[in-house]
Amino acid sequence: MNPVSVEEAVAMIPSGASIMVGGFMGVGTPERLLDEVVRQQKTGLTLISNDAATPGKGVGKLFDAALVSRLTATHIGLNPKAQQQMLANQITVDLIPQGTFVERIRAGGCGLGGVLTPTGVGTLVADGKRLIEVDGKSFLLETALRAQFALVHAFLADYLGNLTYALTARNFNPVMAMAAETVIVTAEHIVPVGVIAPDHVVTPAPLVDYLIANG
Amino acid sequence: MNPVSVEEAVAMIPSGASIMVGGFMGVGTPERLLDEVVRQQKTGLTLISNDAATPGKGVGKLFDAALVSRLTATHIGLNPKAQQQMLANQITVDLIPQGTFVERIRAGGCGLGGVLTPTGVGTLVADGKRLIEVDGKSFLLETALRAQFALVHAFLADYLGNLTYALTARNFNPVMAMAAETVIVTAEHIVPVGVIAPDHVVTPAPLVDYLIANG
Amino acid sequence: MDPQIIIARRVARELHSGDLVNLGIGIPTLVANYVPADLKVFFQSENGLIGTGPIPEQGMAHPLLTDAGGRPISALPGAATFDSAMSFGLIRGGHVDVTVLGGLQVDADGHLANWMIPGKMVPGMGGAMDLVSGARRVIVAMQHAAKGKSKIVAKCSLPLTSTRPVDLVVTDLAVIGFAGGKATLMETAPGVSVAEVMAVTEADLTIPGTVPEMKL
Amino acid sequence: MDPQIIIARRVARELHSGDLVNLGIGIPTLVANYVPADLKVFFQSENGLIGTGPIPEQGMAHPLLTDAGGRPISALPGAATFDSAMSFGLIRGGHVDVTVLGGLQVDADGHLANWMIPGKMVPGMGGAMDLVSGARRVIVAMQHAAKGKSKIVAKCSLPLTSTRPVDLVVTDLAVIGFAGGKATLMETAPGVSVAEVMAVTEADLTIPGTVPEMKL
């Protein structure tokens, strides 16, 4: 893990990059990183995020600034700006079931080519996907999903980069921290090594490439 | 969750049942449950366990008592009795890669039909399995694995059945606690509700069917 | 009684001690208010929590503890938090005993449509498809009709949420079950006759010899 | 120098600060003893630990903290423990920078066989197949020959561990690389000539213009 400033971290992300951003309706999202993405005007982003949050909050800021060109998400109904941009064909949107979304990212992070899920069989979601039978039951083949960057928000980070998450702010963060080439983390608190007990670490240090330093 | 005695719990398991047993070389194995399985002489078991441990320890006791008729495991090299029983065709053994073993159980517990893994492609492990291409790369289709009973060992259990695990005794226990019809748990300590912080719970209470009571 | 409260009270009677229950937004959320205090039900919020409690008192809300809509909630003693892979492992893996969801349409075969109106409302399905595919029991809690049109239809015209039929539909007028594979009128709301239900229901309903009144 | 120590010392030089490293049992385990103290390497034990430390002092062993062979180990400050799904997610997902494994045979194409001898030794593959499939860099640490027979063979006669070629083989006599797709002699052990290595190696080796001596 390398400690960096938020400016340095975001400077590594080129316009047009694919980014996974943790959070669920803006809860558990690395706000400081997104503010800086907006400030540095990274355009044409491929965003992989559970939802579009709401205007002004979480990934909603990226839609306010019209920085997103492609979106993979599960629900964008609470962000009218994202809806508008989708209906105006300014962004290409792939809406997928939430359990499928997280399993595809987990597969990407865990070296699996994909998973077989019953979710979506016989619905619009099945269009263009392979249907695979196992013991007489039908499943959709859902393939792995990865990104160039994962922007992750933790509760505690220690000096090595071990991470814990708080309450419902955990959500997609630990899974995304495994599924990108470069993992950039903000933490509410940075604490000395040993403060986090081994059994409480959720994301082990070697997964973290850059931690945004205090101050 | 229902508190039961170890005798009552094991009495629910019929001879010939399929059982998943947590532990890695006997570490994190519910020894009291296995001792009682031996005492009650449950025969013809289908055992799903990472390894065969060693004679006298963990699932090794089941081989000492010749109670196993089928075994799915990743490694049995450190238990000469299990090896003997395999070579004498007393038990049918399916040896599979450890990453595949745990993903198959996780798939069983998480409602997935299976996963695509690169592990084993082009080796003996691929025999009889479907090869599936994703983006030009070949994967083996490995199907979900479930059992009638999971025998799980935890470190702390609270009165509701929330579980935590200690150090390397966690291993397969949390995954198995999701993949069986009936989940029976021993814990090193039973503590009041609230002693385990929500963020530290590894296996949430609703997954536990029976907890072996103190005394 | 308010139609929504009739629905919520009736659905609450379907829950049992020890159940793990996931409530969708809208009417389903109200169900938690009518669960008897002695019933030990675990409520899951799919953003990563089992043991959701009531809205926190003034000044006690925490920004990192919310429901799936992003609104502050509390956590009961014995709560557990986890990541989204675990949350949907619980849902898809059959560990959720009951899910209560809103609906746009349910048809005579028990198929539910509740996630999009093509060309009009395309918010995304969120967790709905996984919940209907994976929960042990799926209960739809919705008004019987919207703008004078039956929501219990012969065949869904909207895109399906799942091909797995729901188990029960509870409306302000009736309880409809699908145990035999076909829509069956199980109960009527207080003061509502079987004929009245049939009159406002597009789907053909099987009518048993006796149709009791809902207990609320 | 003891042949095993030559191998372990040479392999240790392949590790870099920040690397996540998985050491197999046997000779690979010895590698940890030769990593310079200022090199911050994370060692993973696939039974669920990053941050393995040395064998605990007398009386400090804990039965719930062991290596993948079930032997007591310690955990360094900053260690992390996790379940087996996570452990193999790390391995198969390319998060392990280097794995060091023992071998029975490595052939001219870099294929490794290290998990069974049909009819003789059928212990199961444990984590070996996932490690060879998933780790960024695979190093085989083994004696060059066993009972006078080369373990660097033209073509593996034993069942393969993976079709993914290994990156490096370190023996008591030589370092052999597979960067170009073919076995290449990279280094010789102190006091061992290129001719001596070739004489005891069944596989055809590509011999570069200069073959330096191992630094240990």
Side-chain angles (χ1 to χ4, degrees), chain B residues 99-131:
Chain B
T100 299
F101 179 80
V102 69
E103 280 300 320
R104 288 183 64 193
I105 296 170
R106 181 181 180 276
C110 291
L112 300 171
V115 298
L116 304 187
T117 180
T119 303
V121 170
T123 74
L124 292 184
V125 165
D127 286 359
K129 287 180 188 152
R130 280 181 268 185
L131 204 66

Side-chain angles (χ1 to χ4, degrees), chain A residues 109-112 162 178 193 198-199 204 207, chain D residues 77-81 86 89 92-93 95:
Chain A
C110 291
L112 300 170
N162 287 302
M178 296 184 75
V193 170
D199 287 341
L207 292 171
Chain D
T81 51
M86 177 65 167
R92 208 181 30 234
H95 306 286

Side-chain angles (χ1 to χ4, degrees), chain D residues 39-102:
Chain D
L39 209 67
K40 300 295 175 211
V41 173
F42 297 97
F43 286 107
Q44 178 198 30
S45 187
E46 68 260 33
N47 52 329
L49 173 66
I50 289 175
T52 65
I55 294 168
E57 285 186 57
Q58 182 73 24
M60 294 297 164
H62 193 284
L64 303 182
L65 182 56
T66 62
D67 66 15
R71 289 171 297 266
I73 48 167
S74 60
L76 299 174
T81 51
F82 35 79
D83 70 19
S84 300
M86 177 65 167
S87 197
F88 280 84
L90 291 167
I91 288 169
R92 208 181 30 234
H95 306 286
V96 170
D97 296 288
V98 182
T99 185
V100 185
L101 292 164

Side-chain angles (χ1 to χ4, degrees), chain C residues 1-74:
Chain C
M1 204 183 292
D2 182 280
Q4 298 203 348
I5 293 177
I6 292 174
I7 298 168
R9 286 177 69 141
R10 180 59 191 83
V11 171
R13 294 179 62 90
E14 294 293 316
L15 308 184
H16 303 92
S17 253
D19 278 356
L20 177 58
V21 178
N22 187 298
L23 302 178
I25 45 174
I27 299 177
T29 304
L30 301 177
V31 171
N33 301 340
Y34 301 101
V35 176
D38 61 335
L39 210 66
K40 300 294 177 214
V41 173
F42 297 96
F43 286 108
Q44 178 199 31
S45 187
E46 68 261 32
N47 53 328
L49 174 65
I50 289 176
T52 65
I55 294 168
E57 284 187 59
Q58 184 70 28
M60 294 296 164
H62 194 284
L64 302 183
L65 182 57
T66 62
D67 67 15
R71 289 171 299 266
I73 49 167
S74 60

